[in-house]
Amino acid sequence: MNLIDVTKQFPSDEECLKYIEQMRWPDGKVRCPVCGNDRISRITRKSTTKNVRKSLYQCLEPTCKQQFSATSGTIFNDSHLPLHKWFMALAIVVDAKKGISANQLKEHLGIGSYRTAWYMAHRIRKAMEDNSASPMTGVVELDETYIGGKAKRRGAKYRSQKPRNEKFDMVLGMRERKGRVRFVHIADGKKDTIRRVIDEHIDPEVTTLVTDSAAVYDFAMHPDLQKKRQAVNHTIQWIVPGTDFHTNTVESSFSLLKRGLIGSFHRVSIKHLRRYLSEFEFRFNVRKDEDRFTTTLRRMAGIAPMPYVELIAVPKTEA
Ligand SMILES: [Zn+2]
């Protein structure tokens, strides 16, 4: 579903809410999100403002008596934005190859404040986080890049060179040949840090691990994995001679990410970088899913709320 389909199919909050209801209670049996009881009654109310959820339920369990709707206890919780704006925002974000800034969302959807649009975008990103994805397998390319700071010189040789005298952050990127991509924000480029990421994200059974010839990789992996490593010496070549091993595809993922971060997200705070990485990763990994809108919406309806205070207090790096 693209933005046009979404606008047609979900012209108002009523259709949106029905869709989420079907997702949450596919058997049609509405359950209380607090106690799990299915003895509930429907509350019909005439809402005076257009943004109030019209379909409310009351739990009939005497010790509970919770009032709830299909969006209670999900990422949509506490949002005053109409659901159809959430749906449109999602349709835009999931197809925006290079991402979209909160400011653009605010303009496109007529959202009152930058902060509201920013908070919404981060909640969509939150749903895109995948903490249970299996390790990378097959032929995997691994490379590092720097976010922030300015490289002194441009060009292939300097692409992954550390920016000088400026603050920057490191991201390790992994990409399976014809498969998924993964980005991990790391605190430093030390071998122990890289080793932790490799151990967690790369299947020891990979057929080949392609990296550049940075010396750190000589020490940052198990000797068994080292045997399957192919190193490209980027100062003199693009490909391991006599093979088709290279790190070009992970590098193109990096450049898409960077163009996105520079172009759309003028002020990416480093403490939120992890969530932006999840967004780029997710969008790439679902690119062939025809129904990625619904796939993502289902995740949004399946995760707990993210209060604003929690959002602005996220930790700095993963590894
Ligand atoms: Zn209840």
Side-chain angles (χ1 to χ4, degrees):
M1 258 191 280
N2 59 26
L3 181 60
I4 293 169
D5 302 327
V6 168
T7 325
K8 274 186 196 152
Q9 197 174 327
F10 305 103
S12 76
D13 274 19
E14 221 176 310
E15 290 83 9
C16 299
L17 199 58
K18 246 181 222 157
Y19 200 56
I20 296 176
E21 279 195 11
Q22 284 163 10
M23 249 172 211
R24 268 197 110 173
W25 303 297
D27 57 0
K29 213 169 225 179
V30 177
R31 275 167 229 277
C32 169
V34 173
C35 71
N37 174 39
D38 63 2
R39 289 191 312 110
I40 50 104
S41 73
R42 185 183 276 271
I43 302 169
T44 36
R45 62 172 177 187
K46 285 198 181 103
S47 66
T48 43
T49 65
K50 61 178 181 190
N51 294 350
V52 171
R53 306 272 183 271
K54 283 175 187 140
S55 192
L56 263 188
Y57 300 97
Q58 167 94 54
C59 176
L60 294 178
E61 173 63 41
T63 54
C64 180
K65 288 190 166 171
Q66 181 73 25
Q67 281 193 355
F68 61 94
S69 79
T71 57
S72 302
T74 73
I75 202 81
F76 302 103
N77 209 54
D78 299 332
S79 174
H80 300 295
L81 283 170
L83 278 175
H84 73 274
K85 291 206 177 184
W86 273 98
F87 276 43
M88 284 196 277
L90 175 59
I92 293 171
V93 171
V94 91
D95 282 343
K97 216 174 162 195
K98 284 183 272 176
I100 186 156
S101 69
N103 219 11
Q104 286 169 294
L105 277 181
K106 170 180 172 286
E107 297 298 323
H108 289 324
L109 301 176
I111 294 171
S113 77
Y114 173 82
R115 203 175 80 150
T116 305
W118 182 83
Y119 184 23
M120 175 165 74
H122 270 294
R123 281 181 284 181
I124 294 174
R125 265 172 218 126
K126 172 82 179 166
M128 292 177 162
E129 281 178 5
D130 197 351
N131 299 319
S132 62
S134 58
M136 308 295 272
T137 186
V139 175
V140 177
E141 296 173 24
L142 168 69
D143 199 8
E144 72 284 343
T145 196
Y146 302 91
I147 304 285
K150 279 187 190 125
K152 290 282 174 212
R153 296 156 85 171
R154 289 177 183 274
K157 196 174 165 187
Y158 303 95
R159 186 175 338 198
S160 60
Q161 203 172 63
K162 201 183 284 184
R164 284 175 226 157
N165 310 321
E166 287 191 61
K167 288 182 97 175
F168 58 86
D169 278 74
M170 281 187 81
V171 170
L172 272 188
M174 286 152 272
R175 186 159 162 184
E176 293 170 337
R177 188 155 289 185
K178 295 195 175 116
R180 302 167 296 169
V181 73
R182 190 166 302 168
F183 299 122
V184 182
H185 181 199
I186 53 177
D188 56 60
K190 292 180 183 151
K191 74 169 174 21
D192 291 344
T193 311
I194 293 177
R195 173 75 188 252
R196 275 203 301 279
V197 177
I198 290 178
D199 287 349
E200 187 184 342
H201 296 280
I202 296 183
D203 190 332
E205 300 301 312
V206 285
T207 34
T208 307
L209 178 64
V210 195
T211 68
D212 61 27
S213 53
V216 67
Y217 295 120
D218 296 343
F219 308 101
M221 62 189 78
H222 192 278
D224 290 343
L225 188 57
Q226 191 64 253
K227 286 179 199 152
K228 295 193 258 190
R229 177 183 165 218
Q230 294 278 351
V232 192
N233 182 351
H234 278 158
T235 53
I236 53 167
Q237 62 203 187
W238 284 112
I239 198 159
V240 180
T243 71
D244 64 343
F245 296 125
H246 54 75
T247 57
N248 297 355
T249 57
V250 70
E251 282 167 26
S252 72
S253 293
F254 277 149
S255 64
L256 191 65
L257 170 73
K258 286 182 170 186
R259 270 185 286 154
L261 291 177
I262 294 163
S264 310
F265 310 99
H266 306 293
R267 291 172 295 169
V268 168
S269 158
I270 284 303
K271 80 177 176 181
H272 299 297
L273 180 61
R274 182 175 63 106
R275 212 168 273 115
Y276 289 100
L277 296 178
S278 295
E279 177 192 344
F280 277 83
E281 201 179 278
F282 180 85
R283 192 165 31 231
F284 183 83
N285 294 342
V286 297
R287 70 197 182 283
K288 288 175 186 156
D289 176 355
E290 293 286 317
D291 209 9
R292 51 192 179 272
F293 172 83
T294 309
T295 303
T296 320
L297 186 67
R298 182 165 283 118
R299 295 171 78 113
M300 293 170 75
I303 61 168
M306 177 170 60
Y308 193 73
V309 284
E310 190 185 299
L311 170 61
I312 56 179
V314 290
K316 197 172 177 278
T317 56
E318 281 167 74

